[in-house]
Amino acid sequence: MSTPDHFDILPAPANVADEAAKLVRETADHAQRQRGSFTLILAGGSTPKALYERLASEPGPIDWSRVTILQGDERCVGPDHADSNYRMARAALLDRVPIDPARVHRIRGELGPTAAAGAYDGILRATGPADLALLGMGADGHTASLFPGHDFARDAGKLAVPAAAPAGFAIADRVSLTLEALNRSTLILVLITGADKAAALARVRRERLSTAGNDALPMSRVRRGVRFLLDVAAAGTAAGTVASN
Ligand code: 6PG
């Protein structure tokens, strides 16, 4: 039996950000005591911004000079573009903590999906697995930039790939870490808030209890043993903690 997922359901998005900050600090402190360093994959989108701000406002006990930063995905725009995930992370966190710039590995989306993915694949091979991967989920069940309809078979042996967001998303061309790259992280922490995510999350929770079929949502395909931090609106249930086998 694989490791069960763990669902923490908290009253509101601020509680999710508080709990996530606590878990990041604990994970970083443990990794730095054990190995002297901590590698973190940042999620994009809007949900993690409050988490990043909390980490910046109370930087300890993390030794930011020994933190390596990776991105889970990026839109194919420059780092100053309004839709850049890196831009959000830089403003909310990276410019506010004493991090070693040489240890911040930005996906260079401005190169275009194929070139940027190829370059980042090499960086991921050089840095090795992360201690912690942060992920979000869209209302369609995507995670990172792995959207429904993504050709997962083509990702075999790859750590970063070109990806595409469907119509309706601000930036179509993307770069995403693959399931293989995400799944090799020691811990995976998924932050999901808002009633608009409730339907996809309910389907993901069902799909994660069975063998993921060909139509399984991308979030359902991430390895088991994931820690989900949800608010009541997304979970559709009262606050509490559930471990699901
Ligand atoms: C992106 C993100 C993406 C995000 C979800 C949820 O580039 O859009 O990496 O995977 O986590 O779309 O986004 P929100 O947190 O904004 O709802």
Side-chain angles (χ1 to χ4, degrees):
M1 176 67 70
S2 62
T3 309
D5 290 328
H6 188 101
F7 298 88
D8 279 308
I9 300 155
L10 300 159
N15 307 111
V16 169
D18 289 340
E19 182 65 17
K22 174 174 169 284
L23 290 170
V24 171
R25 292 189 184 105
E26 287 171 356
T27 308
D29 191 39
H30 177 76
Q32 291 184 334
R33 290 175 190 276
Q34 294 290 316
R35 297 190 304 107
S37 67
F38 173 60
T39 299
L40 175 65
I41 296 173
L42 297 181
S46 58
T47 301
K49 185 169 182 280
L51 161 59
Y52 300 158
E53 290 170 339
R54 280 161 173 75
L55 293 175
S57 60
E58 294 173 38
I62 301 172
D63 176 351
W64 288 94
S65 70
R66 293 184 292 132
V67 172
T68 296
I69 294 289
L70 298 168
Q71 288 187 266
D73 71 316
E74 185 58 280
R75 294 81 180 269
C76 286
V77 293
D80 297 319
H81 190 285
D83 289 319
S84 164
N85 285 331
Y86 175 77
R87 181 177 184 264
M88 182 275 283
R90 189 181 62 198
L93 175 62
L94 302 177
D95 281 353
R96 301 171 59 195
V97 289
I99 202 159
D100 176 356
R103 298 179 73 145
V104 177
H105 301 290
R106 177 178 72 85
I107 297 176
R108 295 183 291 159
E110 65 275 18
L111 299 178
T114 302
Y120 212 67
D121 191 281
I123 288 170
L124 292 168
R125 293 181 195 285
T127 60
D131 295 291
L132 175 59
L134 298 172
L135 289 173
M137 188 190 76
D140 61 352
H142 81 262
T143 192
S145 279
L146 303 172
F147 287 85
H150 182 86
D151 184 353
F152 289 96
R154 276 182 50 193
D155 294 352
K158 298 194 177 103
L159 297 178
V161 289
F169 283 82
I171 308 292
D173 283 338
R174 308 282 186 102
V175 173
S176 185
L177 266 57
T178 60
L179 292 174
E180 179 182 341
L182 296 170
N183 288 344
R184 68 179 194 166
S185 307
T186 304
L187 292 174
I188 298 175
L189 181 61
V190 184
L191 279 61
I192 305 175
T193 63
D196 61 318
K197 313 287 179 76
L201 179 59
R203 177 175 163 186
V204 165
R205 293 182 74 169
R206 288 194 303 275
E207 291 180 339
R208 290 182 66 83
L209 289 172
S210 61
T211 305
N214 289 331
D215 63 343
L217 293 174
M219 186 76 257
S220 303
R221 298 166 182 257
V222 173
R223 68 158 165 81
R224 301 298 308 284
V226 164
R227 184 94 184 244
F228 287 86
L229 292 182
L230 314 171
D231 71 351
V232 166
T237 60
T241 295
V242 177
S244 76
N245 290 311

